[in-house]
Structure formats: C-alpha cells, structure tokens
Amino acid sequence: MTSVLPGEVTADGSGSGSASAAPADPLALAVSWLPGTGAPVTMTLSTIGLDGYPSARTVLLSAFDGERLHFHTDSRSRKAAEVAAVPRATATIVWPETARQLVVTGDVAPDTDQEARAAYAARTHYLQVLAWVNDHPLAAAEDDVRRATWAAFIAEHRDAVLDPPDTWVGYAITPVRMLFWRGATDAPSNRLAFERDGDGTWTSERWPG
C-alpha cells in the first residue's frame, strides 16, 4: 500500500496524486472517495450530548450532494434532541480495506420535507418498517412482543407502498472542517486537514497520521 491513494487531485486539478500537493477543493475530494448513488455507507455520527458529554452512534449516510452530508432519524431520538440544542456534529466514515478515513465536522440544519421523503423512499423495506415500529415502548418490550408487533405490521401493510411516518426527519451537515486520513505500509500515515474560512474558501494543512 502506498501513501497516495486514487482520487486525490492536485491543487491545479492535474490529478497527479502527488503526496505533497493538496487538492484545492475538499468537497470534490470527498466526492471521489465516497461511492456512487445507491451504495450503502455507514458513518459514526457524533453530537454534543445534553449532559455536555460527546454522544456517538452509527447511522446511514443518506446522501452526499457535493456540499452537505445528509442523515435521517426519528424526531424522538436522542440525536434529534441533541442537534436541536446544539446544531453541530461530526461524521466519521472509515474504509478499512483501502486504509482511508474521512472526518467531517460542521453545522447541522433540517432537511426539506422533499429531501426527507426521498431518503425514506430509498431505504430498504426493512428500514422503512423500522422507522414505523421502532419506538421506545417497543424497545423495552420482551422479544416475543417485539417480534409479534413487527409481524403484525408486516401483515397489515403487506402490499402497501409505505410513506414515512410523521416522526421521520432528516438533517444535513454543512462542513466547516474536513480531515482525510490515508494509511500506508511504506510511509507514515498522514491526515490532510481542511478548514473553511469565513468567506467560504478553504485552507489546508497536513497533519501527522
């Protein structure tokens, strides 16, 4: 494994992959790292807990539109309460097979209803059903009750095209910091760190891995 991975472009856009040349646009680099539409991507979503401690969980990346990372959840969830209180989050995506890690920190804003509905429609049937039935009372129930509730919902909606429940909400992270980590076996690993300035431009710096 080398210290330069495919998809890195130079500041002048030549695409040479030089380890010493930082790409000008981290969003374009993120596009090259993330898989195409339809490929499932999980990420660790970290928020600021209501008690002041960090709070993290694994969620699906619903979409990356070239500017923002979108995720969806139940409006009654802990993460929804946390981003309502402090609308900031960090998303960490790891690709062990290619020794890459992308860490995105930014400001969180609600998705539009259209974006949320589109994300729900793209979910698997299992995850669509999960959004309807997986609430706190059912989570606390015995296994046989949980299974029976699931089976009853499936039977009742067997041939129906499901719409999202009223509790289905989406959020988008607008990056202010992006870290691209690359591993290596023949050189030290390193991180390419980007910070967004107040005028929207990006500055970059390489950090130890």
Side-chain angles (χ1 to χ4, degrees):
M1 183 186 300
T2 63
S3 61
V4 180
L5 294 177
E8 180 166 342
V9 296
T10 61
D12 63 4
S14 64
S16 68
S18 168
S20 62
D25 184 358
L27 296 171
L29 181 56
V31 168
S32 72
W33 277 32
L34 288 164
T37 302
V41 176
T42 57
M43 62 185 189
T44 300
L45 179 70
S46 302
T47 52
I48 300 172
L50 300 181
D51 57 3
Y53 286 96
S55 181
R57 75 290 288 161
T58 300
V59 302
L60 280 177
L61 171 64
S62 296
F64 175 56
D65 59 15
E67 294 287 340
R68 302 178 300 162
L69 284 76
H70 299 257
F71 65 94
H72 293 79
T73 187
D74 191 300
S75 61
R76 301 163 294 182
S77 67
R78 178 178 297 180
K79 69 181 82 64
E82 290 169 350
V83 298
V86 182
R88 295 174 179 174
T90 292
T92 303
I93 304 171
V94 181
W95 297 271
E97 67 280 2
T98 56
R100 292 184 180 184
Q101 182 185 95
L102 171 60
V103 183
V104 178
T105 298
D107 300 312
V108 180
D111 261 356
T112 65
D113 181 65
Q114 182 178 4
E115 288 169 330
R117 293 184 68 86
Y120 183 83
R123 289 289 200 265
T124 64
H125 184 255
Y126 173 86
L127 292 176
Q128 288 181 343
V129 174
L130 192 68
W132 275 97
V133 305
N134 197 30
D135 57 15
H136 283 281
L138 189 61
E142 298 293 335
D143 281 350
D144 57 345
V145 174
R146 297 170 67 243
R147 292 179 183 278
T149 301
W150 183 276
F153 185 93
I154 294 293
E156 183 179 353
H157 300 87
R158 187 175 305 278
D159 299 320
V161 176
L162 294 176
D163 289 324
D166 292 340
T167 54
W168 176 260
V169 292
Y171 300 93
I173 304 172
T174 299
V176 299
R177 182 183 304 118
M178 302 181 75
L179 300 177
F180 296 82
W181 177 87
R182 302 171 307 162
T185 56
D186 60 351
S189 59
N190 68 78
R191 289 176 289 171
L192 181 55
F194 289 87
E195 296 276 349
R196 193 194 294 266
D197 296 328
D199 61 0
T201 60
W202 293 92
T203 56
S204 64
E205 182 181 16
R206 289 195 183 272
W207 295 353

